[in-house]
Amino acid sequence: MQIKDYLDEILNLIAENPFAVSQSLSFEERPPDSAFITGTVTFTDGSMLHLKEFVIFEPKGAIVLKYGYNYLAEDETLNFRYDNAFDPLVKSLSTYPEHKHTANGLVSAKRPAFRDVLSEISALMEVEK
């Protein structure tokens, strides 16, 4: 997979999301075969997704080494966050270092595909309607 193809896929997923109203992404290529992507997606209710990924590109696909998907309500309270930070509080979780922060605490969770993060946000917004 090419770096440009991966970025285009992210941009297309955001553009296709019915609740996304704007996005601001920063893309830093790190030769020869990696990139750091950060940015914010704003949704119709004023909530925001802050994302960061450090990705290595290989012929068979993209490998996300570090990530964080932080979804905040309009008042900046946490809805959820997926990340793989080496947080000592999550060492006991089966998916360590990968985990999910929720309003009710930390839970085991593997890294979702970016598509799935947007789907989870859409599902939450559908319930709010």
Side-chain angles (χ1 to χ4, degrees):
M1 171 177 271
Q2 299 278 335
I3 294 171
K4 182 188 178 315
D5 296 333
Y6 186 80
L7 184 60
D8 285 347
E9 183 178 314
I10 288 174
L11 292 171
N12 288 335
L13 288 169
I14 295 167
E16 292 168 2
N17 186 285
F19 298 104
V21 293
S22 68
Q23 56 83 18
S24 174
L25 293 182
S26 173
F27 175 76
E28 183 181 318
E29 191 171 349
R30 305 237 175 123
D33 60 358
S34 60
F36 185 60
I37 302 166
T38 60
T40 303
V41 181
T42 304
F43 298 93
T44 54
D45 66 352
S47 63
M48 292 181 291
L49 173 66
H50 298 278
L51 67 117
K52 62 181 177 183
E53 291 184 342
F54 183 75
V55 188
I56 292 180
F57 299 91
E58 296 183 343
K60 59 187 169 193
I63 299 170
V64 179
L65 292 183
K66 294 293 289 176
Y67 66 90
Y69 308 112
N70 191 30
Y71 179 52
L72 303 174
E74 184 176 22
D75 66 2
E76 297 190 7
T77 58
L78 177 71
N79 285 322
F80 65 78
R81 177 173 68 244
Y82 291 94
D83 67 61
N84 64 345
F86 291 103
D87 185 338
L89 297 175
V90 299
K91 278 190 173 185
S92 63
L93 297 178
S94 63
T95 56
Y96 179 78
E98 297 179 297
H99 57 280
K100 181 180 182 182
H101 298 255
T102 70
N104 297 321
L106 297 164
V107 295
S108 293
K110 289 288 192 182
R111 182 186 73 82
F114 186 69
R115 171 186 310 277
D116 296 332
V117 174
L118 291 178
S119 293
E120 185 173 348
I121 292 168
S122 293
L124 290 172
M125 294 185 75
E126 285 288 340
V127 170
E128 293 175 359
K129 277 182 148 180

